[in-house]
Amino acid sequence: MTGFNVSSGPLKYDTEFAREIYSLENGHHIKKCMQCGMCEVSCATRKEMDYSPRKMFLLLRTGQREEFFKSNTMWMCSTCLMCKVRCPRGVPIVDVMHDLKCYAISKGYTERAQAAFYQSFWKEIWSRGKQFEGGLMARYYLKRGWKDIRKDAFRMKDMGLTMLKHGRMPLMPPKSVKGLKDVQKLVEVAKAQLQKGADR
Amino acid sequence: MKYSFYPGCSMEATAVPYLKSFEAVAHALGIELKEIPDWNCCGATVASGVIGDYPAQVMTSRNLALAEPHGADIVVPCSSCYMNLAITNRKFKEDGHFRQMADEALASVGMKYGGSLNVRQIIDVMVNDVGLDTIKSKVKKPLTGLRVAGYVGCQTPRVFPWEFDDPEQPVFFDKIIEALGATPVKFPVKARCCGSSHSVAQPEITADSCYNIITSAQDDQAHLIAAVCPMCQLNLDAYQDLVKERHKLKTSMPVLFFTQLMAIAMDLPPDAWALKHNIVSPFTALAKFGVGK
Ligand code: SF4
Ligand code: SF4
């Protein structure tokens, strides 16, 4: 966390990195931020974040590459939209958070539990067009490995059994979407369109 | 009243009681629902964070294209599904650049969406299409004396702020509760976050958020919480043991989908109440309305 003990050494602005972030789908909105702090006081998960959205935007503008990759900010966002309705500059903060998650994953920063969760969730959608709780959990623990399974096993088992008892935990996945090929193609085409737009 | 219906993944699984009670209530209110044929996942709050906003919205738009031939507005109960479908739909209507690109993508699989539909949240439909007076007229067993904390959650009121309600202190949900004869309590956290999908990777976050919500309901002497969103209901209900353990909380708080309360007040058969699916037992709170196991 940044404090008042600022070094007298020159501050290095990595403008290359900042430009890369601006080129993300919603990245240019970051330039509109006026550092008022409204998102900071509104955020549902502020106390879990190492940098508030406001501080994160400052870091990005000054190109603090390493700090960004170390930070948990975007992974803590729960998409509650409070910041988006309150930001006086109209920064779609939550959409920027989406970009930051994508960017971190694309650069291989996937060791956080949340990143594993996001990837598992997406694999589920990709492979059947729908989400299945059982499949999601299986994929998630496969990614997280034995240590996490042991840590969570007891609690998850209890909760899973309770849900099963109340008929809220289907053991069989839902039927795959008939047009699954179309779903996949749509995603591929859309990604290619985005890429083309970014290269232009 | 005719609608296309987008149930979303959770209604088929963890939120069955929502599906059962909603279908029964809709039928009793003269709402005709036609499930969107072969619909796919909306991407929840997650897809955008892996593949990006635009690809996730294009994936969502397949549902709009599939619904269009039916020619009726789409009703959506889940808040995340509502967020994704409604924002994508709005982009088709108002963002020419988006529309051009998305048309191109849809055409690659031989589909087309003309942008003729509206995407409607279930509360919006209940208040503005069905109407509070109609709901009142269908109530046979008013829930007099039942104090209800109406939990609207995050995305429902905030996707399009002020379009059908206040984004931070929404009122429509309380009006529905009132129409059933119950008393909505003040419940200032009614539109705060439930911890959403942190329930998997970092359940403590969900437990802390739910603790705030449950204790706020208790402070206002609510007998139960009514929920709109499958995720909120699941977090508040299934994680309540974890909340109690972590925060040394002694008393429990039943959490129902509001359509379950409607089914009870409208005196529909117990199958429509679907109460066996609720994890925290609602039976003591509802005993005086003739609701038993
Ligand atoms: S509320 Fe908006 S302008 Fe204010 S600090 Fe946050 S992003 Fe910047
Ligand atoms: S949407 Fe994310 S960043 Fe914005 S207030 Fe909610 S949790 Fe915080």
Side-chain angles (χ1 to χ4, degrees), chain B residues 126-174:
Chain B
M126 287 291 176
V127 175
N128 294 314
D129 292 6
V130 178
L132 295 168
D133 288 338
T134 308
I135 296 176
K136 260 182 227 158
S137 74
K138 299 273 180 186
V139 169
K140 301 216 180 83
K141 232 175 16 181
L143 305 175
T144 317
L146 187 71
R147 295 176 64 85
V148 178
Y151 184 59
V152 182
C154 58
Q155 290 143 2
T156 294
R158 285 201 274 280
V159 169
F160 297 123
W162 299 108
E163 277 192 23
F164 74 87
D165 213 334
D166 183 315
E168 300 190 26
Q169 287 298 317
V171 294
F172 279 180
F173 196 44
D174 287 346

Side-chain angles (χ1 to χ4, degrees), chain A residues 16 22 33 45 54 65 177 186:
Chain A
E16 192 64 41
Y22 295 156
C33 170
T45 42
R54 176 189 72 79
R65 189 195 300 262
V177 171
L186 281 171

Side-chain angles (χ1 to χ4, degrees), chain A residues 70-82:
Chain A
K70 269 190 271 167
S71 149
N72 70 357
T73 300
M74 59 277 186
W75 295 115
M76 291 301 118
C77 169
S78 60
T79 327
C80 78
L81 307 186
M82 194 62 107

Side-chain angles (χ1 to χ4, degrees), chain A residues 33-39 54 57 87-89 91 93:
Chain A
C33 170
M34 63 178 183
Q35 293 289 307
C36 70
M38 182 48 107
C39 51
R54 176 189 72 79
F57 294 164
C87 172
R89 295 285 290 155
V91 179
I93 302 162

Side-chain angles (χ1 to χ4, degrees), chain B residues 2-26:
Chain B
K2 281 193 180 140
Y3 296 90
S4 275
F5 175 38
Y6 183 83
C9 305
S10 33
M11 266 200 160
E12 290 190 334
T14 52
V16 239
Y18 203 5
L19 184 65
K20 286 185 187 169
S21 55
F22 175 50
E23 283 182 339
V25 166

